[in-house]
Amino acid sequence: MNILLIYPEFPDTFWSFNHAVSFIGKKAAFPPLGLLTVAALLPEKWSKKLVDTNVERLSDTDLLWADMVFMGGMTVQRESACRIIDRCKALPVPIVCGGPLFTAEPEQFGTADHLVLDEAELTLPLFLSDLEKGQAKKIYRAGEFSDLSETPVPLWHLLKVNRYAALSIQFSRGCPFNCDFCNVTALFGHKPRLKTPGQIIGELDRIYDMGWRSSIFFVDDNFIGNKRFLKDHLLPALIQWRKEKKGCVFFTECSINLADDPDLLSLMVKAGFDSVFIGIESPDETALSECHKIQNKNRDLLESVAIIHRSGLQVMGGFIVGFDSDPPSIFQRQIDFIQNSGIVMAMVGMLQAPPGTRLFDRLQRQSRVVRPFTGDNVDGTTNILPRMGMEALSKGYQRIMKQIYSPANYYRRVRTQLRALTPPEVFQPLDFQRFLSFFRASLRLGILGKERFCYWQLILWTLLRKPRLISVAVTLSIYGYHYRKICERYIYIRSKDGQ
């Protein structure tokens, strides 16, 4: 069979980095790791082709070549996914859909020929067996979680790797915590399931052998879910790998209790990690109790962030406003916390209720889920009726975004972070595209940009005070350009319209 794997388009969002990747000559931030893994689960004799609509156009010729289309995606890709389903039905080409978007709301995609849901390692073999018999069913579900030690190496050769800013790898699925608004545990469970160090090194070798010498994103929802295994097995293996393989740097997502373990911090830095995304959510203890974010309670969150910065890891932070317990003062408290913490990449969103979460179930019983979940944390909308009222939440949210992404405040946070940040032990090599990115940044930000004074002030300050972090300063400046573009598209325009 000829199999076409299609990745739907991401809208222009906080995490798309659409306005940043052009500085380094790339088309998209991350590749479709899930689809590449699905491709490895398909029969080896089948012909396979990947079209990522974020980096190339999907043509009718592509669709007509295929005997069957496989598509996966996340909620934020819903609009593009629906268009692709419609195109397949019009030709017609059978389409098989899976991934978080379809697993969370399968009833919304009745026009897809087959829904292979949950984890593909379990449900895809069942579908393929029935397909061979001519008895393929509409929906396939799994009643358990897969063993990641049996997950194959993604088929990287299907990918045009030079079009991406970073590549991706997965070490674990699942999270030991139970945050009220998060659907990770509904999808993957509470007990972290792990790949072996041998699997990870094998995948890294495959990536390295393709010539990749840049960022690699460990996409785990909580990389430190099993700290003992990390310290005893995976991180020592990564440190050993780095002795022979130069150039690649890692980043990932984890919980704030990383700050409580200096040995783990040290090992992650030695292994080549340079940044982590952490869900801070709120500086308010009552809000943290409300959403069961127990790992963030009873601690000095500012000091925890500072500890991680001093270790050499940049902290990217997630923040939420709109909890039932949020007082009117929460908006200024969020602004103050973000500015004082030096968290440059601060993803602030209104509280949303993803289907499958305890929050969704509770608010649905209260008739407070009023529109579909978009999956976009920072588009200035929510799918629930907030207790404080929509007008108060919207105005407060717009106020936060205007404050933290104004050039003066943004560049002030960059300096705060750089003051605390220990220079990394591993630097990315200065290739031609990164060399050009400095000149592109100098032109777009330092000459044509509204923030040119702030930009040059930061560059001069960094050269004098933290010269080893000059590439970090330029990179964060480029990110700031992207975030302001997102604010202009979603936040500032609503403020002008009075929404």
Side-chain angles (χ1 to χ4, degrees):
M1 295 183 70
N2 292 334
I3 301 298
L4 180 65
L5 300 111
I6 304 177
Y7 198 48
E9 186 177 3
F10 270 89
D12 198 9
T13 72
F14 189 97
W15 291 115
S16 71
F17 292 104
N18 287 346
H19 304 284
V21 294
S22 63
F23 282 79
I24 55 173
K26 305 298 182 180
K27 295 287 188 180
F30 308 112
L33 180 64
L35 272 182
L36 295 173
T37 305
V38 166
L41 290 164
L42 295 174
E44 187 176 352
K45 61 184 178 182
W46 289 3
S47 298
K48 306 174 188 74
K49 179 180 179 181
L50 171 70
V51 174
D52 178 356
T53 61
N54 296 280
V55 302
E56 60 186 314
R57 188 176 66 88
L58 174 65
S59 68
D60 284 350
T61 302
D62 293 324
L63 293 170
L64 291 171
W65 168 85
D67 296 311
M68 184 170 284
V69 166
F70 282 74
M71 179 170 66
M74 295 181 285
T75 303
V76 73
Q77 297 164 280
R78 180 194 302 270
E79 186 175 329
S80 174
C82 289
R83 290 197 301 266
I84 292 168
I85 292 173
D86 289 343
R87 288 182 65 181
C88 289
K89 300 304 292 184
L91 283 175
V93 182
I95 183 167
V96 183
C97 299
L101 167 61
F102 305 97
T103 296
E105 300 179 275
E107 67 280 357
Q108 300 296 320
F109 301 97
T111 56
D113 294 284
H114 307 282
L115 297 173
V116 181
L117 308 177
D118 302 309
E119 294 182 288
E121 291 93 339
L122 297 175
T123 52
L124 187 56
L126 299 176
F127 168 73
L128 295 176
S129 177
D130 288 349
L131 183 66
E132 188 175 14
K133 301 171 187 173
Q135 301 173 352
K137 296 181 291 189
K138 175 76 173 184
I139 298 180
Y140 290 81
R141 302 298 306 247
E144 55 186 346
F145 296 117
S146 66
D147 180 355
L148 294 195
S149 67
E150 299 178 0
T151 299
V153 177
L155 294 190
W156 288 107
H157 70 270
L158 297 178
L159 197 71
K160 299 177 177 67
V161 294
N162 62 342
R163 299 188 178 186
Y164 298 90
L167 296 189
S168 306
I169 193 170
Q170 185 176 57
F171 163 59
S172 69
R173 294 180 199 160
C175 178
F177 300 110
N178 196 24
C179 303
D180 203 38
F181 53 81
C182 182
N183 60 359
V184 167
T185 53
L187 290 170
F188 300 127
H190 288 288
K191 183 179 180 180
R193 291 165 288 127
L194 316 174
K195 290 181 180 177
T196 66
Q199 284 177 281
I200 296 300
I201 297 302
E203 292 188 33
L204 289 174
D205 282 341
R206 189 75 61 89
I207 291 171
Y208 195 87
D209 289 344
M210 293 189 304
W212 188 259
R213 301 292 186 273
S214 192
S215 296
I216 298 175
F217 179 27
F218 277 75
V219 301
D220 307 33
D221 295 291
N222 191 348
F223 182 70
I224 66 168
N226 188 326
K227 294 197 290 185
R228 177 50 55 194
F229 188 91
L230 274 181
K231 291 194 287 187
D232 290 348
H233 301 287
L234 180 63
L235 292 176
L238 292 178
I239 292 169
Q240 183 63 35
W241 185 79
R242 298 203 62 83
K243 291 180 179 179
E244 300 178 3
K245 308 292 175 35
K246 309 296 183 182
C248 297
V249 296
F250 307 134
F251 61 106
T252 191
E253 305 174 56
C254 63
S255 44
I256 192 68
N257 57 319
L258 172 65
D260 305 334
D261 196 327
D263 292 337
L264 180 56
L265 280 167
S266 176
L267 285 169
M268 286 183 65
V269 172
K270 289 178 181 177
F273 286 86
D274 69 358
S275 55
V276 290
F277 176 84
I278 296 175
I280 306 288
E281 318 315 353
S282 177
D284 187 87
E285 285 272 330
T286 306
L288 295 175
S289 296
E290 177 187 325
C291 67
H292 299 94
K293 194 86 177 185
I294 59 172
Q295 64 271 31
N296 288 30
K297 292 182 58 182
N298 302 316
R299 67 166 65 239
D300 184 338
L301 287 169
L302 283 174
E303 178 58 20
S304 294
V305 172
I307 289 170
I308 298 172
H309 280 159
R310 289 195 294 267
S311 77
L313 296 174
Q314 300 175 57
V315 175
M316 303 173 278
F319 300 87
I320 297 174
V321 289
F323 292 110
D324 284 354
S325 59
D326 275 350
S329 61
I330 191 59
F331 305 108
Q332 187 59 49
R333 289 185 64 188
Q334 289 278 25
I335 293 169
D336 292 342
F337 182 93
I338 292 167
Q339 288 300 125
N340 292 332
S341 70
I343 294 177
V344 179
M345 291 183 276
M347 184 194 75
V348 186
M350 298 183 189
L351 180 66
Q352 297 208 42
T357 62
R358 291 185 304 168
L359 177 64
F360 181 90
D361 293 340
R362 185 175 74 251
L363 295 184
Q364 191 173 52
R365 289 194 299 270
Q366 299 172 10
S367 299
R368 292 173 59 190
V369 178
V370 294
R371 56 180 59 90
F373 174 60
T374 67
D376 187 347
N377 304 69
V378 290
D379 63 356
T381 68
T382 177
N383 67 331
I384 69 171
L385 289 175
R387 181 161 291 177
M388 69 170 60
M390 193 61 226
E391 183 177 1
L393 177 57
S394 182
K395 288 182 177 179
Y397 178 70
Q398 291 164 10
R399 178 184 165 200
I400 291 174
M401 299 301 278
K402 286 181 179 179
Q403 288 282 329
I404 68 172
Y405 285 112
S406 70
N409 283 335
Y410 182 84
Y411 281 91
R412 189 176 297 119
R413 287 205 309 284
V414 175
R415 291 196 298 274
T416 298
Q417 184 178 108
L418 295 184
R419 283 191 193 97
L421 194 64
T422 300
E425 297 190 10
V426 178
F427 288 90
Q428 289 180 288
L430 184 62
D431 59 18
F432 180 67
Q433 286 293 354
R434 295 189 179 280
F435 182 75
L436 283 181
S437 70
F438 175 77
F439 291 96
R440 289 173 179 143
S442 298
L443 175 62
R444 296 188 203 177
L445 308 181
I447 297 176
L448 302 177
K450 299 177 182 178
E451 68 270 37
R452 50 187 173 270
F453 175 77
C454 295
Y455 174 78
W456 288 117
Q457 185 182 46
L458 172 67
I459 296 302
L460 292 174
W461 180 92
T462 306
L463 288 172
L464 291 172
R465 301 284 296 275
K466 291 277 190 172
R468 293 179 64 195
L469 295 175
I470 187 64
S471 64
V472 176
V474 174
T475 299
L476 293 176
S477 299
I478 292 170
Y479 288 161
Y481 174 81
H482 168 74
Y483 301 143
R484 281 188 293 281
K485 287 291 186 181
I486 297 300
C487 287
E488 289 170 4
R489 176 168 184 173
Y490 291 116
I491 311 304
Y492 301 158
I493 191 171
R494 288 193 174 93
S495 178
K496 291 178 183 178
D497 292 343
Q499 295 182 15

